[in-house]
Amino acid sequence: MTIEYLKTSKPAIERADDDAKTRAAVETTLSDIEKRGDAAVRELSQKFDQYSPESFRLTHAEIEALIAELTPQELADIKFAQEQVIKFAKAQRASMQDVEVETMPGVILGHKNIPVQSVGCYVPGGKFPMVASAHMSVATAKVAGVPRIVACTPPWQGKPNPAVIAAMHLGGAHEIYVLGGIQAVGAMALGTQSIEPVHMLVGPGNAFVAEAKRQLFGRVGIDLFAGPTETMVIADETVDGELCATDLLGQAEHGYNSPAVLLTNSRKLAEDTMAEIERLLTILPTADTARASWENYGEVIVCDSYDEMLTVADDIASEHVQVMTDRDDWFLEHMTCYGALFLGARTNVANGDKVIGTNHTLPTKKAGRYTGGLWVGKFLKTHSYQRVLTDEAATMIGAYGSRLCMLEGFVGHAEQCNVRVRRYGGVDVPYGEGAAAS
């Protein structure tokens, strides 16, 4: 097995130092929000966004005025993208069925899928107004039936971004706040004097937002660890360097710390791609950001075989995986650790980010090893229930339960079973003993 790295990223120890600094800053900030509530939130908004309105929550009139700033085409495009997300979310919701089954005579077991009762949706927007993130979180929560949907987004160029607010409103948000960063997720999770806390936080964000969600997990639910964007291109000589370079830089422009990895079995394609990246960085308007990500977090890996490429890809577990090979379906069949797959040269990650309908809030930092991305099911809790309908069933299952509780030493548990064996079966079970086998 030969794996050659033509370009490597920032050493892991340096990334760990960055993470430690982020952790400390977030912990301090969340503590301040918990102690001082609205006052802390306002100070943070003024400090980081230079934004301190009379109220962070938008009124209906303010929302309508912002939507009116959009052109008819902009509004139509937002609605089209949202329709695609909703259509796929409804199909996913239809796949989740409540269950009730009689497992033995008189014993009924079941489960119900119940919406989370309140959700806080974070929509990034300080550097780029992430209109599509509103569809992915707000609209999907609405399909799930969440009764209270709170949405937060930072100001953009000193005021609410009309397109983001339109997407939030059309998606079904009940409360919209112009708040960004740690102060937004902290306020939604912890609550303040003016914001009632939610039960769950969802949505992508920068390293500070992602870390805040991680620290708040337990106090509230979270969708997943969705930190800085990651992308991987798996390619062979069926495509060229321009296509690979374009797809890598298209995601690297998200931020200064967005990993971008080319994984190939062609050294020629690897070298062509690196040359194309340098060429494109001279003309890409967002080159300053994309170059920082590429220089510090970019990797080019050359393998001998497709099997090696598969092994490396599953180990990295990248958020976005663009597959452009002569065997795309083989990768679909065999890959196990990733956020989402983009199969073939005709599609791309930007389609998934903005319009095609699959959700773009996806696991990062290897979280694809144990979770998929945000989807309608994340907003639903599956709760089980049981019912015993007959005296005979209560007696029979109770006797088994009694003996199994005593096997573990739980006498109080056993008596929960025994009292029912006595009452519904007429069997005299001595107190604190297991029921006899019939």
Side-chain angles (χ1 to χ4, degrees), residues 361-380:
T361 304
L362 300 166
T364 63
K365 292 200 170 185
K366 291 184 177 283
R369 294 173 299 171
Y370 57 82
T371 186
L374 182 61
W375 70 296
V376 71
K378 290 278 189 178
F379 297 102
L380 295 162

Side-chain angles (χ1 to χ4, degrees), residues 173-373:
H174 302 105
E175 302 167 31
I176 298 177
Y177 298 85
V178 184
L179 269 177
I182 307 171
Q183 58 270 29
V185 293
M188 288 191 288
L190 301 170
T192 69
Q193 294 86 344
S194 64
I195 303 175
E196 183 182 344
V198 298
H199 294 173
M200 183 180 185
L201 289 172
V202 302
N206 62 22
F208 292 92
V209 168
E211 175 60 21
K213 285 172 63 181
R214 189 191 69 80
Q215 291 188 22
L216 289 163
F217 177 60
R219 299 270 307 248
V220 294
I222 64 170
D223 47 357
L224 60 144
F225 193 92
T229 291
E230 303 167 350
T231 198
M232 171 184 285
V233 172
I234 298 176
D236 60 18
E237 289 191 348
T238 58
V239 292
D240 57 39
E242 181 188 25
L243 203 58
C244 294
T246 300
D247 286 342
L248 289 166
L249 292 180
Q251 295 301 302
E253 74 175 0
H254 262 285
Y256 68 91
N257 57 350
S258 298
V261 179
L262 173 65
L263 182 58
T264 183
N265 56 0
S266 166
R267 186 182 181 91
K268 179 180 184 303
L269 179 63
E271 292 172 346
D272 287 351
T273 299
M274 288 192 291
E276 271 296 304
I277 285 174
E278 292 307 315
R279 181 184 73 82
L280 290 173
L281 283 172
T282 66
I283 59 176
L284 182 67
T286 53
D288 286 349
T289 304
R291 183 181 295 278
S293 285
W294 178 246
E295 289 180 352
N296 292 319
Y297 293 88
E299 292 190 313
V300 177
I301 306 170
V302 180
C303 298
D304 279 343
S305 67
Y306 291 100
D307 286 329
E308 285 182 1
M309 291 161 70
L310 176 68
T311 299
V312 173
D314 273 339
D315 180 62
I316 293 173
S318 184
E319 177 190 14
H320 305 102
V321 181
Q322 173 85 41
V323 182
M324 298 182 290
T325 67
D326 65 6
R327 60 197 71 193
D328 300 341
D329 286 343
W330 182 83
F331 281 96
L332 173 62
E333 181 181 354
H334 291 92
M335 279 194 71
T336 60
C337 302
Y338 55 89
L341 291 181
F342 304 81
L343 299 166
R346 290 183 178 85
T347 193
N348 64 86
V349 175
N351 280 350
D353 278 347
K354 309 304 177 189
V355 68
I356 208 165
T358 53
N359 205 292
H360 80 192
T361 304
L362 300 166
T364 63
K365 292 200 170 185
K366 291 184 177 283
R369 294 173 299 171
Y370 57 82
T371 186

